[in-house]
Amino acid sequence: MTTALLRRSVLALSLAALSLGGLSLPAQAQDAKKNLTIGGTAGSNIDQLKQGIVPILEKKGYKVKLVEFNDYVQPNLALAQGSLDANFFQHQVYLKKFAADQKLDLAELVQGPIAPLGVYSTKRKTLADLKEGDRVTLPNDPSNLARALVLLEQNKLISIKQGVDPLRASEKDVADNPKKLKFIPLEAAQLPRSLGDTEYAIINGNFAISSGLKLTEAVVLEKTPDYYLNVVAVKTADKNTAWAKDLVEAYHSKEFKAVVDTKFQGYAKPSFLQ
């Protein structure tokens, strides 16, 4: 082999090694990652992270930064763009629809507790006090709007057309509304403020709590099915990283269960936290 050919061979092998090393670095860096940024919405979601999850992760050697949001759009966009490593604010129905609509490669990592959706009122003590034409504010995002309508149907205030997927129901799918309720969809974070202007407001639990309402003050609370439990979301590529596995372990830990049992009573919980 000539000297020139030998040099070219060595150079080719060196480039190949660099190329292979470059491919493996991102995975290695993710597994060695010890600084995490996690997003959550105001109220019970960020509180669960702060009081229950962060202390566990810190014991595992992580430094955790929490970012608080006041809407249901930015946390997933921030996650997809890489400014968050994970978020905790949404149920799986919302995550799947949002990710599909926005073409985001996000995945559910683990379920966690959620403050139940509730009907609140400052003008009526019970649903039996409801009068014809009463105004009802409810979440305007499609998955939680459907959830609110199902809650009204369960309490025999409306009926939804037969054959309609209850996870996708909207106002146009209401078959019977005997009290002629007037539905006013609003951004979820604005619902507590609507209580002074309407007879009833159907409010997501985290925003009810962040506004100073108590679950015990609700006129009625939903019986939350598993698909409406909160989930931790991550980018799909990060789902099997070491830090993601540690995050799952934190949610499954006895320490987190103790925090939930003492500080988040009345919340709907996954089976492993029962």
Side-chain angles (χ1 to χ4, degrees):
M1 183 180 287
T2 66
T3 301
L5 182 58
L6 179 60
R7 286 175 180 169
R8 284 198 297 269
S9 298
V10 170
L11 178 61
L13 288 170
S14 298
L15 288 174
L18 285 171
S19 177
L20 289 171
L23 287 173
S24 63
L25 276 176
Q28 291 172 352
Q30 284 291 350
D31 277 341
K33 186 181 182 71
K34 286 296 181 180
N35 293 308
L36 298 177
T37 302
I38 304 175
T41 43
S44 60
N45 295 333
I46 199 79
D47 288 344
Q48 286 181 57
L49 290 167
K50 190 181 301 180
Q51 298 174 33
I53 297 301
V54 171
I56 297 170
L57 291 175
E58 287 178 341
K59 288 180 181 178
K60 291 177 177 285
Y62 291 93
K63 292 183 179 179
V64 184
K65 177 184 177 182
L66 296 181
V67 180
E68 184 173 310
F69 294 88
N70 286 300
D71 68 75
Y72 287 159
V73 174
Q74 295 306 313
N76 278 335
L77 297 181
L79 177 59
Q81 292 161 4
S83 57
L84 296 178
D85 297 300
N87 66 40
F88 180 69
F89 77 97
Q90 64 197 319
H91 49 68
Q92 61 180 228
V93 180
Y94 182 87
L95 171 61
K96 288 179 180 179
K97 179 168 176 46
F98 190 95
D101 289 348
Q102 300 294 323
K103 296 179 174 58
L104 305 179
D105 195 9
L106 305 181
E108 172 187 335
L109 185 65
V110 63
Q111 286 186 319
I114 189 170
L117 188 75
V119 181
Y120 295 82
S121 179
T122 57
K123 298 180 174 66
R124 306 279 191 265
K125 291 184 178 180
T126 69
L127 290 179
D129 298 330
L130 187 147
K131 298 179 181 178
E132 186 171 311
D134 273 355
R135 297 161 297 176
V136 181
T137 52
L138 65 176
N140 65 359
D141 63 278
S143 62
N144 282 308
L145 173 61
R147 185 180 170 195
L149 292 174
V150 169
L151 178 58
L152 292 174
E153 184 179 50
Q154 289 172 345
N155 285 276
K156 305 186 186 315
L157 296 177
I158 65 170
S159 63
I160 297 172
K161 295 176 183 176
Q162 289 188 348
V164 171
D165 184 346
L167 299 181
R168 293 176 172 80
S170 68
E171 303 106 300
K172 72 178 186 301
D173 298 314
V174 175
D176 192 26
N177 181 7
K179 291 288 188 178
K180 297 181 173 58
L181 299 176
K182 296 177 181 177
F183 300 120
I184 306 170
L186 295 174
E187 185 178 345
Q190 304 303 317
L191 290 166
R193 298 178 186 176
S194 72
L195 278 171
D197 301 318
T198 59
E199 284 68 48
Y200 294 93
I202 304 178
I203 307 175
N204 296 75
N206 63 297
F207 286 128
I209 291 168
S210 67
S211 71
L213 294 169
K214 298 178 181 178
L215 297 180
T216 53
E217 295 174 335
V219 173
V220 65
L221 292 172
E222 72 173 351
K223 295 179 180 178
T224 311
D226 284 352
Y227 50 78
Y228 283 143
L229 292 173
N230 268 346
V231 299
V232 174
V234 296
K235 287 187 284 189
T236 303
D238 292 338
K239 194 170 181 179
N240 293 313
T241 59
W243 62 262
K245 292 175 182 177
D246 283 340
L247 189 50
V248 172
E249 285 184 5
Y251 272 87
H252 280 262
S253 68
K254 292 180 180 179
E255 292 88 347
F256 182 59
K257 183 180 185 304
V259 170
V260 173
D261 289 346
T262 56
K263 298 184 178 181
F264 300 94
Q265 295 177 345
Y267 284 50
K269 299 177 289 187
S271 58
F272 61 80
L273 288 174
Q274 300 289 347

